[in-house]
Amino acid sequence: MNCKTVQSHLSAYLDRELSGEEMLDIRAHLSECFVCCEEETELRSLKRLLGRLPAIEPSGDLEQRLLAVVGAARTGERKPGRQAPFVLFAGVTACAMAITLAFLSKSHTTPAEATMQSQDIAFEAQRIHDYTGGGDAYGAPIVSAASYAGR
Amino acid sequence: MMRTTLQIQVTEMFFSVTTERVPARLNRAALFDDLVKQTHRQAYSLAFRLTGNSSEAEDLVQESLVRAYRFFHRYDESLPFSSWLYRIMANAHIDMVRRRGRLRTTSIEGSGADGSSTWDLPDPEASPDRLMLESALDEPVQTALMAMTPEFRTAVLLADVEGMAYEEVAEIMKTSVGTVRSRIHRGRKQLRSHLLKNAPETYRSLCDEL
Ligand SMILES: [Zn+2]
């Protein structure tokens, strides 16, 4: 192995993510090459440094807030505040839908009923958005940019 | 475009299942609450390292947990819940940064062998919260992390801070082990050069210490 090849494998070497043969080849090279040995030492320090970064503690009430948000998602309620931009977007879409639908079906809905429908549609809109936002093998969707918009 | 699609689908949904609402299953709810309690601290710490500040970190954890809950019925229990949550978080984070980057700049693509640019544009909002970071080295390291592309940052954090094997990282990031290997190696080298350039004394004293 030449220096270039060795240096490109150094991180994987430190992480023991190479085959036994490759590990031995690199170890042999390091024992006789000062330049690569220095490089290895530096990358090792950096890895240790990252491994020793302290965990960052959340604020004391985060657990309660998260449980509340999950609880709200459970009942289909939407919390105001952070998710407002998407709710607003969904709400506008939903209102337009509700009005259109009300018009098309010539149904007589009171404003309160229309609001209820809007909320239903807003909920469904969010749900559909989740499903269509790109799922992975586990079915976990990617968080939509919409909910980050305007931050 | 998206709005139109959404409207069409909403229409279909409205006529088919608007009145259906899955009844809350108490066991599932309690189990999920327990998982939130068990994992949120570690998830928050990773989210902070990914985003560089507490408010985005909280948002990222919150959004990821809500999505995890919605898709909990598809969660494969052979996998640790934290890995599944990290998977949602990591991809949400990369997705978010990419979209934000696309709004800000026309072309940062192209220099990376794996399709990602080597350096991301620094985000003015991404300077780490000073109060949150305790040790002297923490802030320069966090700043250096924020200067990386989200793909490199995520790979390095999962491997070096979370202590995951390349295969686990690849699984979480939905990519190959070879790509993970390259991202970690290049990511570490980027971190080192950033630290050497911006905080040489702290970095040197720390390396001597280690
Ligand atoms: Zn050499």
Side-chain angles (χ1 to χ4, degrees):
Chain A
M1 273 194 183
N2 61 29
C3 291
K4 198 179 170 213
T5 313
V6 168
Q7 291 192 14
S8 72
H9 285 73
L10 280 179
S11 281
Y13 173 77
L14 290 173
D15 297 334
R16 299 171 188 277
E17 293 272 0
L18 294 174
S19 70
E21 197 183 344
E22 287 170 313
M23 292 291 289
L24 289 174
D25 284 352
I26 289 175
R27 189 181 299 170
H29 182 94
L30 292 177
S31 68
E32 57 197 24
C33 175
F34 178 74
V35 178
C36 290
C37 192
E38 280 285 284
E39 179 79 359
E40 193 258 359
T41 309
E42 290 216 4
L43 287 173
R44 191 180 290 276
S45 300
L46 190 81
K47 180 179 156 71
R48 282 203 198 131
L49 185 160
L50 290 167
R52 284 173 30 160
L53 284 179
I56 296 172
E57 292 294 322
S59 71
D61 63 344
L62 182 66
E63 183 178 309
Q64 285 312 310
R65 282 187 282 134
L66 291 174
L67 290 172
V69 169
V70 170
R74 194 172 286 152
T75 53
E77 294 162 16
R78 309 304 305 167
K79 282 239 152 187
R82 288 268 156 79
Q83 297 184 348
F86 182 74
V87 171
L88 186 65
F89 163 70
V92 169
T93 311
C95 281
M97 287 306 306
I99 291 161
T100 312
L101 288 165
F103 180 76
L104 288 175
S105 62
K106 294 181 168 48
S107 67
H108 303 282
T109 44
T110 65
E113 281 165 354
T115 309
M116 289 290 286
Q117 284 184 350
S118 302
Q119 284 169 351
D120 278 348
I121 299 169
F123 175 76
E124 295 301 343
Q126 167 95 56
R127 221 164 68 84
I128 295 158
H129 184 75
D130 288 344
Y131 279 106
T132 55
D136 61 26
Y138 294 109
I142 289 162
V143 174
S144 70
S147 43
Y148 284 96
R151 277 183 202 161
Chain B
M1 179 68 183
M2 191 188 90
R3 198 174 284 228
T4 314
T5 317
L6 192 64
Q7 279 178 345
I8 291 163
Q9 286 165 332
V10 169
T11 313
E12 287 165 4
M13 288 302 289
F14 182 79
F15 286 121
S16 56
V17 294
T18 312
T19 52
E20 282 179 28
R21 195 58 56 81
V22 182
R25 271 162 286 175
L26 289 176
N27 286 342
R28 182 171 166 260
L31 173 61
F32 195 84
D33 282 357
D34 279 347
L35 290 169
V36 171
K37 289 174 194 166
Q38 285 164 28
T39 55
H40 82 279
R41 281 174 174 274
Q42 210 187 345
Y44 173 81
S45 191
L46 175 62
F48 189 102
R49 295 287 176 205
L50 285 169
T51 62
N53 68 80
S54 55
S55 94
E56 277 187 73
E58 287 186 358
D59 285 350
L60 182 58
V61 173
Q62 174 180 315
E63 297 277 354
S64 304
L65 279 171
V66 167
R67 272 154 182 81
Y69 182 75
R70 292 225 178 98
F71 289 83
F72 196 40
H73 57 286
R74 291 206 221 161
Y75 163 56
D76 169 10
E77 283 173 36
S78 65
L79 190 80
F81 178 75
S82 57
S83 301
W84 191 60
L85 181 63
Y86 284 7
R87 180 172 192 160
I88 298 175
M89 254 172 55
N91 294 303
H93 172 66
I94 291 169
D95 194 45
M96 178 189 77
V97 176
R98 295 246 141 233
R99 282 167 200 260
R100 195 167 55 192
R102 222 173 285 150
L103 293 175
R104 252 184 224 156
T105 175
T106 47
S107 175
I108 55 164
E109 308 292 325
S111 63
D114 55 358
S116 48
S117 57
T118 309
W119 289 94
D120 210 351
L121 291 185
D123 181 350
E125 292 160 60
S127 63
D129 291 1
R130 276 159 204 275
L131 290 174
M132 302 302 292
L133 303 176
E134 289 162 16
S135 68
L137 76 112
D138 217 326
E139 198 181 313
V141 172
Q142 189 64 44
T143 304
L145 282 169
M146 297 323 293
M148 298 162 82
T149 60
E151 286 86 356
F152 285 24
R153 178 165 60 241
T154 305
V156 168
L157 286 171
L158 291 175
D160 291 348
V161 178
E162 302 295 326
M164 289 181 182
Y166 288 8
E167 211 175 311
E168 279 175 281
V169 179
E171 178 106 327
I172 284 179
M173 297 189 72
K174 295 190 284 188
T175 189
S176 68
V177 171
T179 302
V180 167
R181 178 188 297 193
S182 149
R183 285 177 181 173
I184 288 171
H185 187 57
R186 292 172 60 202
R188 282 181 188 155
K189 294 209 297 188
Q190 284 180 6
L191 272 178
R192 180 181 56 177
S193 51
H194 195 280
L195 288 168
L196 279 173
K197 193 174 159 213
N198 297 288
E201 280 162 29
T202 319
Y203 178 63
R204 279 289 158 218
S205 67
L206 204 105
C207 284
D208 293 343
E209 202 182 294
L210 287 170

